[in-house]
C-alpha cells in the first residue's frame, strides 16, 4: 500500500510533465458513451403515462457525479417488444463506440397475451385443484339438502290436504246450525271462503307434486302464493265463527290443524327455496371458476410461448451487440412485479419465467443481468402508485437505477481526482486518503486511510531551520508541516507518504532530511530516490520540518608550485639534472585513440560527446506509464473487493 501511494504521487509528476498527447488520452478515458435500448421503461414513462426522469437519466447523472462526461443515446421506445429492438439495432450508429449499453425489453411481449379480466373475481385459492374439488363437494352437498327439503314440501302439502278434508267434514256437521245462526249473506260468504281455502291448498299441493328434482322458482312462488291465500281465507272463517259463538272446541281444533298444516307447508316451501338458491349460487360459482380456470390455462400457455420468443430474441439482440461492439459493457434488466394487484399465484410464476429467459440469454454472451424484483417487493404503494398502470414513479425509477449502478460502478468506479492543492501558509481541513500538492513547490503528501476526521494542515517555508543546515546544500524545498488533530487524538501517528523533488545535477547522497528540533540538527531519512524524475519518496509517521539536501564536500587546497632556481652563470641548463621519466598530461589527448575523435571543419578533431541519457529518459517514461496502468488496475481491484 505504501509503495502504491508513493507511486501514485510519482505518476502525478509524470503526468504534469508528460507530452500533451498523453494528457489527451487521459481526458478521453473520462468520457463514457452510453446507449439505452428498450421499451417505455427505458424511455422514462411515469405512472401517469407522461415522460419523466427514468432510470436511464438517473444512471447518466450518477456517472456524471463520478466524474465522467457522458454521451447518451436513449433509443427506448414506449410499447417496444423484443423483435422491435432487434430490428432497430442496425439503425443505431452509436452502438459501435458505446462503453455502456443497457436493455429493458420483454415485458410487452409477455403481457400481450395477458387478459386481466380472467383474474378479476377469481378466488386465488381455486388456483389449487384441491380447493376446486372441495367446491364441487360443497355443491353436491347443497343440492342434496335442497332435494331433501323438496321432499319435505311434498309431505307437508299432502298432510295439509288431509287436514282440510277432516275440517270440511266437521263443518258439514254444523251446516244446518250455521244456516240458522248466520244471515244468508254470512253463510254464503262462509261457504265460498271455505271453498277457496280448499282450492288454494289443493292447488299448492298439485304444484308441489309436479315440481320435479329441479323446480323452477316461478312454480315455487306460485305454490307459496296459493298457501298464503288459503291461510288468509281461513282467518276470515275463524273470525266469522267466533262472532257467532259457533266455534266449539272440536271445530276450533280442526281449523287450527288446517292453519298449522298450511303454515308447515309454507315453511317447507320457503326452506326449499333458500336451499335451492344457495345450491344454485354454488353451482354458478363452480361453473364460473371452471370456465375461468380453463381460459387461464390457455392464457398461460400463450404467455409461456411468448416468453420463449423473448429469450430467443434477447439472445439475438445480445449476439448482435457483442459482434458490433465486443468491448461494451452490457447490462440487461430483469422485471419487477408490475401487477401486484393480481393473484401472485398466477403472476409470479409467469414473471419468474420471463426473468429466467432474459437472464439465460444474458449469461450466454457474458453480459450482466440486473434483477429488480426484490427492489420493488413490499414497496408497491410508493413505486407503483397507479394500480392501473405498470409504470413506476420517479422513486421507482431511482430504485431501478440503483440496481444498475451497483454493478456499473464496479467497472466505472469514477475518475480519480488529481492532487488537492494547498497554498503555503494556509490552514485547510484534510481528509483520509487525499493526495496534497503544495503549491509553488515540488512537494506532495499522501494522507493515511485512517486519518482522524477534522484534521487540519498548514504548510510553510522554514527559513529558520534552513539556516541551521550546516554542511548541507539545499537543492529542494524546506517545509514545515503542522498537523492539528481533533481533541483526544493529538498523539495520532499514521503512515504518511511524502514526495519531494530536487533540481540540478545532485550528487549521489541527495536525500530528504528531517530537522530534529531537540538537537537543532538535520538528520538524513534515506528516502527512495528516483534520479530520472529527480523525486524522493519517504514514508513518515509524523510531521515537522523536512527538506531536500545534499552533503557539501570540501575541496582540497591546491598546492603552490615551487619555482625552479635560476642556473648560475656559466652553468648550462639541464646540466646536473637527472633525466625525469615521461608523464602524461591527463588533459592531453594526443595519445588517445583517434577513433574517439571527430573531424572539425578546419581539420581538427572534436571529443566524442555522445550519450545514452536521452534513450534512458524515454525508457524510464515508458516504464512509468506501465506502472501507472498497473496502479489503476490495482486500485480498481481493491475497490471491487472492498
Amino acid at each position: 500500500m505504501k509503495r502504491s501511494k508513493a507511486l501514485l504521487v510519482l505518476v502525478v509528476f509524470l503526468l504534469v510533465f508528460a507530452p500533451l498527447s498523453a494528457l489527451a488520452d487521459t481526458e478521453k478515458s473520462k468520457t463514457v458513451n452510453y446507449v439505452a435500448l428498450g421499451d417505455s421503461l427505458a424511455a422514462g414513462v411515469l405512472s401517469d403515462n407522461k415522460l419523466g426522469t427514468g432510470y436511464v437519466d438517473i444512471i447518466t447523472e450518477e456517472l456524471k457525479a463520478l466524474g465522467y462526461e457522458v454521451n447518451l443515446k436513449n433509443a427506448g421506445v414506449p410499447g417496444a417488444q423484443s423483435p422491435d429492438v432487434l430490428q432497430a439495432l442496425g439503425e443505431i450508429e452509436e452502438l459501435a463506440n458505446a462503453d455502456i449499453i443497457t436493455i429493458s425489453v420483454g415485458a410487452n411481449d409477455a403481457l400481450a397475451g395477458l387478459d386481466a379480466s380472467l383474474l378479476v373475481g377469481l378466488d386465488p385459492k381455486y388456483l389449487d385443484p384441491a380447493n376446486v374439488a372441495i367446491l364441487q363437494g360443497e355443491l353436491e352437498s347443497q343440492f342434496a339438502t335442497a332435494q331433501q327439503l323438496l321432499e319435505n314440501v311434498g309431505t307437508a302439502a299432502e298432510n295439509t290436504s288431509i287436514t282440510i278434508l277432516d275440517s270440511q267434514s266437521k263443518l258439514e256437521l254444523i251446516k244446518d246450525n250455521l244456516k240458522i245462526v248466520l244471515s244468508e249473506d254470512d253463510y254464503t260468504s262462509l261457504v265460498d271462503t271455505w271453498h277457496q281455502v280448499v282450492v288454494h291448498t289443493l292447488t299448492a299441493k298439485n304444484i308441489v307434486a309436479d315440481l320435479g328434482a329441479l323446480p323452477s322458482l316461478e312454480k315455487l312462488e306460485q305454490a307459496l302464493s296459493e298457501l298464503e291465500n288459503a291461510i288468509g281465507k281461513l282467518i276470515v272463517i275463524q273470525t266469522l265463527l267466533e262472532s257467532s259463538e259457533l266455534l266449539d272446541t272440536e271445530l276450533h281444533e280442526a281449523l287450527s290443524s288446517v292453519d298449522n298444516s298450511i303454515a308447515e307447508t309454507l315453511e317447507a316451501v320457503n326452506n326449499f327455496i333458500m336451499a335451492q338458491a344457495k345450491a344454485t349460487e354454488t353451482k354458478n360459482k363452480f361453473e364460473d371458476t371452471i370456465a375461468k380456470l380453463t381460459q387461464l390455462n390457455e392464457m398461460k400457455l400463450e404467455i409461456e410461448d411468448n416468453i420463449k420468443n423473448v429469450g430467443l430474441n434477447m439472445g439475438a439482440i445480445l449476439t448482435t451487440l457483442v459482434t458490433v461492439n465486443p468491448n461494451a459493457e452490457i447490462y440487461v434488466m430483469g422485471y419487477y412485479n408490475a401487477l401486484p394487484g393480481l393473484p401472485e399465484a398466477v403472476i409470479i410464476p409467469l414473471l419468474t419465467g420471463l426473468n429466467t429467459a432474459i437472464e439465460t440469454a444474458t449469461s450466454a454472451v457474458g453480459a450482466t443481468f440486473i434483477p429488480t424484483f426484490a427492489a420493488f417487493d413490499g414497496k408497491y404503494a410508493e413505486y407503483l402508485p397507479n394500480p392501473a398502470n405498470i409504470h413506476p414513479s420517479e422513486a421507482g425509477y431511482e430504485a431501478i437505477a440503483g440496481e444498475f449502478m451497483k454493478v456499473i460502478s464496479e467497472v466505472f468506479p469514477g475518475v480519480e481526482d488529481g492532487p488537492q492543492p494547498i497554498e503555503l501558509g494556509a490552514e485547510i481541513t484534510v481528509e483520509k486518503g487525499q493526495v496534497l500538492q503544495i503549491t509553488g513547490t515540488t512537494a506532495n503528501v499522501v494522507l493515511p486511510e485512517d486519518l482522524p476526521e477534522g484534521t487540519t494542515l498548514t504548510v510553510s517555508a522554514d527559513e529558520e531551520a534552513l539556516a541551521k543546515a550546516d554542511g548541507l546544500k539545499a537543492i529542494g524545498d524546506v517545509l514545515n508541516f503542522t498537523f492539528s488533530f481533533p481533541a483526544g487524538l493529538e498523539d495520532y501517528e499514521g503512515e504518511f507518504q511524502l514526495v519531494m523533488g530536487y533540481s540540478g545535477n545532485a550528487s549521489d547522497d541527495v536525500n530528504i532530511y528531517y530537522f530534529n528540533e531537540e538537537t537543532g540538527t538535520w538528520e538524513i531519512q534515506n528516502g527512495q530516490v528516483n534520479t530520472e524524475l529527480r523525486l524522493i519518496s519517504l514514508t513518515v509517521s509524523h510531521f515537522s520540518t523536512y527538506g531536500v539536501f545534499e552533503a557539501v564536500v570540501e575541496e582540497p587546497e591546491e598546492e603552490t608550485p615551487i619555482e625552479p632556481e635560476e642556473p648560475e652563470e656559466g652553468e648550462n641548463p639541464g646540466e646536473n639534472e637527472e633525466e625525469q621519466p615521461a608523464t602524461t598530461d591527463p588533459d592531453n589527448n594526443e595519445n588517445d585513440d583517434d577513433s574517439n575523435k571527430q573531424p572539425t571543419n578546419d581539420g581538427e578533431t572534436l571529443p566524442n560527446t555522445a550519450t545514452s541519457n536521452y534513450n534512458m529518459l524515454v525508457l524510464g517514461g515508458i516504464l512509468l506509464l506501465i506502472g501507472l496502468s498497473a496502479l489503476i488496475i490495482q486500485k480498481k481491484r481493491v475497490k471491487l473487493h472492498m
Side-chain angles (χ1 to χ4, degrees):
M1 180 61 73
K2 293 187 289 187
R3 290 182 178 178
S4 298
K5 289 183 176 178
L7 181 57
L8 173 60
V9 180
L10 292 175
V11 168
V12 169
F13 272 82
L14 174 64
L15 292 179
V16 170
F17 298 106
L20 293 177
S21 60
L23 292 176
D25 290 340
T26 302
E27 291 299 322
K28 185 177 179 180
S29 67
K30 297 181 181 179
T31 300
V32 171
N33 297 318
Y34 175 19
V35 177
L37 307 173
D39 49 23
S40 54
L41 297 181
V45 176
L46 297 172
S47 55
D48 58 1
N49 280 332
K50 296 180 181 179
L51 285 177
T53 302
Y55 77 86
V56 172
D57 302 307
I58 298 171
I59 290 174
T60 300
E61 292 304 315
E62 291 284 346
L63 288 169
K64 289 180 179 179
L66 290 174
Y68 295 102
E69 179 182 341
V70 182
N71 298 323
L72 172 63
K73 170 64 176 179
N74 191 340
V77 179
Q81 298 185 11
S82 56
D84 302 323
V85 173
L86 179 60
Q87 185 176 4
L89 293 180
E91 303 173 3
I92 305 174
E93 298 177 356
E94 292 83 354
L95 288 172
N97 297 317
D99 300 299
I100 296 176
I101 301 174
T102 60
I103 307 173
S104 58
V105 72
N108 290 329
D109 304 53
L111 293 177
L114 178 65
D115 183 1
S117 65
L118 296 178
L119 302 173
V120 176
L122 177 63
D123 191 336
K125 71 179 183 180
Y126 294 124
L127 297 172
D128 184 351
N131 291 328
V132 176
I134 292 174
L135 178 63
Q136 184 176 12
E138 292 176 358
L139 175 62
E140 293 172 353
S141 175
Q142 289 171 4
F143 270 109
T145 299
Q147 191 63 37
Q148 181 61 50
L149 292 175
L150 181 61
E151 293 176 3
N152 293 345
V153 170
T155 301
E158 184 65 29
N159 292 337
T160 299
S161 65
I162 294 173
T163 304
I164 285 288
L165 294 176
D166 181 60
S167 298
Q168 185 172 353
S169 64
K170 291 181 180 180
L171 285 172
E172 288 290 336
L173 293 176
I174 63 171
K175 185 167 84 170
D176 293 338
N177 293 333
L178 291 173
K179 288 180 180 180
I180 297 173
V181 175
L182 298 175
S183 65
E184 183 175 353
D185 291 339
D186 288 341
Y187 180 77
T188 301
S189 175
L190 176 64
V191 172
D192 290 342
T193 302
W194 177 255
H195 177 70
Q196 292 177 25
V197 170
V198 173
V199 170
H200 286 312
T201 304
L202 293 179
T203 300
K205 174 193 172 184
N206 292 332
I207 291 173
V208 170
D210 293 337
L211 288 177
L214 293 173
S216 66
L217 182 60
E218 182 181 0
K219 289 289 185 181
L220 289 169
E221 290 177 346
Q222 184 180 355
L224 282 174
S225 177
E226 294 293 339
L227 292 172
E228 290 171 350
N229 288 334
I231 290 177
K233 298 300 181 181
L234 189 61
I235 292 174
V236 172
I237 292 174
Q238 289 175 327
T239 303
L240 184 62
L241 291 176
E242 287 175 354
S243 64
S244 64
E245 298 180 353
L246 294 176
L247 189 60
D248 59 11
T249 302
E250 186 176 357
L251 181 59
H252 182 274
E253 290 178 355
L255 292 176
S256 295
S257 296
V258 173
D259 188 16
N260 293 335
S261 181
I262 293 174
E264 289 176 0
T265 304
L266 187 63
E267 182 182 5
V269 173
N270 279 322
N271 288 340
F272 172 72
I273 289 176
M274 288 187 294
Q276 187 185 39
K278 184 176 181 180
T280 301
E281 180 182 0
T282 303
K283 174 177 175 290
N284 293 337
K285 180 179 180 180
F286 176 76
E287 291 176 348
D288 182 61
T289 299
I290 294 299
K292 284 187 174 181
L293 289 175
T294 301
Q295 292 176 297
L296 186 60
N297 285 331
E298 294 174 354
M299 180 188 75
K300 288 171 64 178
L301 292 174
E302 180 182 353
I303 293 176
E304 287 171 358
D305 286 340
N306 292 341
I307 289 174
K308 291 179 182 177
N309 291 330
V310 169
L312 295 174
N313 290 331
M314 184 62 74
I317 291 170
L318 293 169
T319 301
T320 301
L321 292 177
V322 171
T323 302
V324 172
N325 186 347
N327 298 319
E329 297 290 338
I330 304 175
Y331 305 94
V332 185
M333 191 190 90
Y335 283 92
Y336 53 89
N337 182 7
L339 299 168
L342 298 180
E344 289 189 352
V346 175
I347 295 300
I348 299 304
L350 294 176
L351 182 61
T352 301
L354 174 62
N355 285 335
T356 300
I358 294 174
E359 184 175 11
T360 300
T362 302
S363 301
V365 298
T368 303
F369 178 75
I370 308 295
T372 62
F373 180 88
F376 274 64
D377 192 25
K379 298 182 179 178
Y380 297 116
E382 179 184 2
Y383 293 169
L384 295 169
N386 186 354
N389 196 305
I390 65 172
H391 299 103
S393 62
E394 288 193 5
Y397 276 121
E398 288 176 1
I400 294 174
E403 296 303 310
F404 272 97
M405 287 305 299
K406 285 179 183 177
V407 182
I408 292 176
S409 61
E410 294 180 356
V411 182
F412 297 86
V415 177
E416 293 292 340
D417 294 330
Q420 173 69 35
I422 174 172
E423 298 288 340
L424 286 173
E427 181 179 17
I428 66 168
T429 300
V430 293
E431 301 176 358
K432 61 183 180 181
Q434 270 188 315
V435 179
L436 306 177
Q437 184 176 31
I438 317 306
T439 304
T441 75
T442 60
N444 285 260
V445 180
V446 182
L447 303 181
E449 294 293 342
D450 61 348
L451 185 73
E453 185 176 356
T455 300
T456 63
L457 169 63
T458 304
V459 183
S460 58
D462 198 334
E463 298 294 338
E464 184 178 348
L466 175 59
K468 298 178 181 180
D470 297 331
L472 298 174
K473 178 183 179 182
I475 59 172
D477 301 302
V478 178
L479 303 172
N480 176 269
F481 299 84
T482 303
F483 281 89
S484 178
F485 300 107
L489 298 172
E490 292 86 352
D491 296 330
Y492 169 80
E493 291 188 356
E495 291 188 352
F496 297 82
Q497 305 296 319
L498 173 63
V499 176
M500 302 183 76
Y502 60 90
S503 60
N505 296 319
S507 60
D508 293 339
D509 57 358
V510 63
N511 218 297
I512 294 177
Y513 284 71
Y514 157 70
F515 183 68
N516 189 328
E517 295 180 355
E518 293 182 0
T519 63
T521 60
W522 287 90
E523 300 175 357
I524 190 169
Q525 297 300 295
N526 296 319
Q528 183 177 355
V529 181
N530 186 309
T531 57
E532 294 293 335
L533 294 178
R534 296 190 178 92
L535 296 175
I536 307 170
S537 61
L538 178 67
T539 300
V540 297
S541 60
H542 67 283
F543 272 93
S544 60
T545 300
Y546 288 87
V548 180
F549 297 94
E550 67 174 349
V552 176
V553 180
E554 295 184 0
E555 296 291 338
E557 295 183 2
E558 295 184 0
E559 296 183 1
T560 302
I562 301 174
E563 294 292 336
E565 296 181 0
E566 293 292 334
E568 295 181 3
E569 187 176 350
E571 191 176 359
N572 292 328
E575 288 184 5
N576 302 323
E577 291 184 5
E578 296 181 2
E579 185 177 348
Q580 299 294 328
T583 60
T584 302
D585 185 351
D587 295 328
N588 188 349
N589 295 325
E590 290 181 357
N591 294 326
D592 290 346
D593 190 348
D594 290 341
S595 63
N596 289 330
K597 298 181 180 179
Q598 298 180 13
T600 65
N601 291 335
D602 55 3
E604 298 295 333
T605 58
L606 293 174
N608 185 2
T609 58
T611 176
S612 62
N613 287 346
Y614 294 104
N615 294 334
M616 294 301 295
L617 284 173
V618 173
L619 177 61
I622 294 173
L623 291 175
L624 281 171
L625 286 175
I626 295 173
L628 172 61
S629 302
L631 174 61
I632 293 173
I633 294 171
Q634 179 183 6
K635 287 175 70 66
K636 287 186 177 181
R637 288 179 176 171
V638 170
K639 289 186 179 180
L640 286 174
H641 293 287
M642 287 180 64

